[in-house]
Amino acid sequence: MARAIAAGNPLPTLSRRSFLLGTAALGGSLLVGCAPAPEGRIGKGSDLPAGEDETSLNAWLRIATDGIVTVAIARAEMGQGVSTSLPMLVAEELGCAWKDVRFELIAPSPIHGNVGIVTQAVPFRDDDTGASASIARWLAQRLAGHGSLVTGGSTSVRDAWQPLRMAGAAARYALIRSAGREWGISATELATENGQVLHPDGRTLSFGELAEAAARVPLPPKIRLKAPAEYRLLGKSLPRLDLPEKINGQAVFGADVRFPDMLYAAAVMPPVPGAQIVLVREDDARKIQGLRTITRVPGIMGAANSIVVVADDTWTALRAANALKVEWDAGVNADFSSEAYLDTLLTAINEQTGARWHAEGDLEAVERSGARRFDAVYTVPMLAHAAMEPASCTALYETHRKQARLQIWAPTQNPGLYAQAAAKAADLSPDQITVTPTLLGGLRLQGFA
């Protein structure tokens, strides 16, 4: 039995002694495993599902018999271009033609975690190369394990720089060894180019012909990565892989997921954060034909209390939600305003003493020199860091032989947190939850890579 339903803080100040605790709790995301070496982050072919006529060589790429290379994207694509930049890392090392590269947004597993989002929480500047900073980063990497299933902090490319290049290089190594065995010559005489392994006499074998055998090649402890002088793709402007489907309308965003016999939901959210439901009058809503249920949903893992209406179609769900008469207790945020919040910020700047993060130059000496001083205060109103698309997700709950499974498709930067929240709400274990990110409709403010 299956039924799908589609639904419509400031950073803490970390001391150098407390950064380990901060990294462990960052974002409520999943921290799993022990600290891997870069080679340990590429995974195995069994970590990436493959379709018919495809072979997965590791957790990040698979090759089809026609030579198409599909790169798994475990980061949110919200217009910032990771669906192109991350495949470039793989393709550069692999030696395939860019025209043969595709990407796929996947339901990430622990092997696809973002280590960079965790280690950047170390309270040192990026250009601090002192002993304390170096030791802190080393310890953070050991604590991070496979990292966190999250996109943020402009870490996607920085974090993927080594493991995705390693994934491409490992596949290249396996393909070359497979070709060497086929031809009975040393692999050191072979190279890859445009999706083929090249023999010194001019013969070629395509990646598609070699992929199945390459998947059985054991990898050495160390794999050579290309030097910058050998790059043919990195550093160049290439056609974006996500644009064609976005132009022709085939791209799948959160609201585009569909299943047969799907129900639709609309949520009534509180007027201010932290507000509590006092009373809900449902009489008018229940008169609407096509309404299935009205449910109060408690706040889970930071989410707001809400009332969710489920109906046969979107329009009915929205009409029923608008027909509800809800009384809220706004609580401590009832009188919140941008003006009052700005006053608290200005007071903090002018009257409180902060911790010095970085010092360069001698400002006091400049002031004593009699140089003219210019002061200006710039302010902006409260702005929503929000997607430019309808907030939505789709959930498919299935039971088979009394075993429940919940699959979720959502435009999210944090599938790890989604999985934890869904497991808690549905009273399931984390291994019964699968979260597959869809494309995100961009951000009104600067996005995270």
Side-chain angles (χ1 to χ4, degrees):
M1 176 181 180
R3 176 55 61 91
I5 298 180
N9 301 318
L11 292 175
T13 299
L14 297 177
S15 68
R16 296 191 180 191
R17 294 181 179 180
S18 65
F19 84 92
L20 290 175
L21 296 176
T23 54
L26 180 67
S29 301
L30 297 176
L31 298 181
V32 289
C34 299
E39 296 88 339
R41 295 185 63 192
I42 70 174
K44 303 176 181 178
S46 57
D47 294 319
L48 181 65
E52 187 176 357
D53 297 327
E54 288 184 317
T55 301
S56 295
L57 273 70
N58 51 58
W60 298 98
L61 72 100
R62 58 179 186 259
I63 300 176
T65 54
D66 61 1
I68 295 298
V69 177
T70 300
V71 178
I73 302 299
R75 304 290 176 261
E77 172 57 80
M78 60 192 87
Q80 85 282 36
V82 294
S83 61
T84 298
S85 56
L86 300 187
M88 286 176 66
L89 300 176
V90 172
E92 179 65 77
E93 293 289 344
L94 182 58
C96 56
W98 186 244
K99 66 179 178 60
D100 294 330
V101 178
R102 308 290 186 270
F103 77 93
E104 180 181 336
L105 300 179
I106 63 166
S109 63
I111 193 68
H112 302 107
N114 184 343
V115 176
I117 193 71
V118 179
T119 57
Q120 77 165 9
V122 175
F124 295 92
R125 286 168 53 94
D126 290 343
D127 58 358
D128 189 338
T129 58
S132 296
S134 299
I135 293 172
R137 293 191 189 99
W138 184 87
L139 289 173
Q141 290 173 357
R142 270 59 191 166
L143 174 67
H146 283 306
S148 175
L149 300 181
V150 65
T151 303
S154 298
T155 59
S156 292
V157 174
R158 284 186 289 165
D159 176 70
W161 175 250
Q162 192 162 15
L164 262 68
R165 288 167 60 222
M166 190 68 70
R172 180 186 74 233
Y173 173 92
L175 291 164
I176 285 177
R177 259 78 193 156
S178 298
R181 292 174 183 175
E182 179 74 17
W183 287 323
I185 66 171
S186 171
T188 58
E189 301 180 52
L190 307 177
T192 61
E193 185 177 340
N194 291 326
Q196 298 177 319
V197 177
L198 311 180
H199 191 286
D201 65 9
R203 283 180 288 170
T204 64
L205 284 170
S206 71
F207 287 178
E209 295 175 287
L210 295 168
E212 188 174 347
R216 298 191 293 270
V217 173
L219 298 178
K222 297 291 182 181
I223 297 175
R224 188 187 77 85
L225 295 175
K226 291 182 178 180
E230 302 175 82
Y231 292 167
R232 297 187 177 185
L233 298 178
L234 296 182
K236 294 183 178 180
S237 179
L238 299 178
R240 284 185 55 148
L241 299 181
D242 59 331
L243 286 187
E245 290 191 347
K246 288 181 176 178
I247 292 172
N248 65 27
Q250 292 181 328
V252 178
F253 292 86
D256 296 322
V257 179
R258 291 289 187 272
F259 289 97
D261 303 321
M262 189 163 69
L263 298 179
Y264 295 82
V268 179
M269 306 299 291
V272 296
Q276 301 296 318
I277 301 170
V278 176
L279 179 65
V280 180
R281 293 185 175 87
E282 305 176 355
D283 294 348
D284 292 342
R286 292 198 176 276
K287 296 176 183 177
I288 298 176
Q289 187 175 1
L291 174 69
R292 291 298 187 100
T293 185
I294 300 173
T295 305
R296 296 191 186 192
V297 179
I300 296 176
M301 300 182 67
N305 298 290
S306 61
I307 304 102
V308 174
V309 175
V310 180
D312 291 336
D313 55 72
T314 303
W315 177 238
T316 301
L318 292 173
R319 287 175 57 214
N322 290 332
L324 293 175
K325 295 179 175 58
V326 186
E327 294 182 17
W328 299 89
D329 178 2
V332 297
N333 292 316
D335 298 324
F336 178 87
S337 69
S338 295
E339 293 76 14
Y341 185 62
L342 177 60
D343 288 341
T344 64
L345 296 178
L346 293 175
T347 299
I349 291 174
N350 295 322
E351 300 180 9
Q352 297 180 15
T353 301
R356 176 171 292 182
W357 179 253
H358 179 72
E360 185 172 339
D362 190 344
L363 177 61
E364 294 180 354
V366 173
E367 290 179 333
R368 289 194 301 269
S369 70
R372 295 182 63 188
R373 174 171 176 163
F374 298 88
D375 292 281
V377 177
Y378 299 91
T379 64
V380 295
M382 299 289 287
L383 298 174
H385 190 72
M388 298 175 66
E389 65 175 318
S392 63
C393 71
T394 300
L396 177 63
Y397 184 90
E398 298 178 294
T399 55
H400 179 65
R401 295 181 180 178
K402 297 183 179 181
Q403 293 295 318
R405 183 157 193 83
L406 179 61
Q407 299 180 69
I408 298 172
W409 291 261
T412 175
Q413 292 176 240
N414 200 333
L417 185 62
Y418 262 53
Q420 293 181 64
K424 185 174 181 179
D427 194 22
L428 298 174
S429 61
D431 61 359
Q432 294 174 284
I433 309 292
T434 300
V435 180
T436 302
T438 65
L439 293 170
L440 278 71
L443 296 175
R444 293 191 182 100
L445 298 185
Q446 180 182 0
F448 290 131

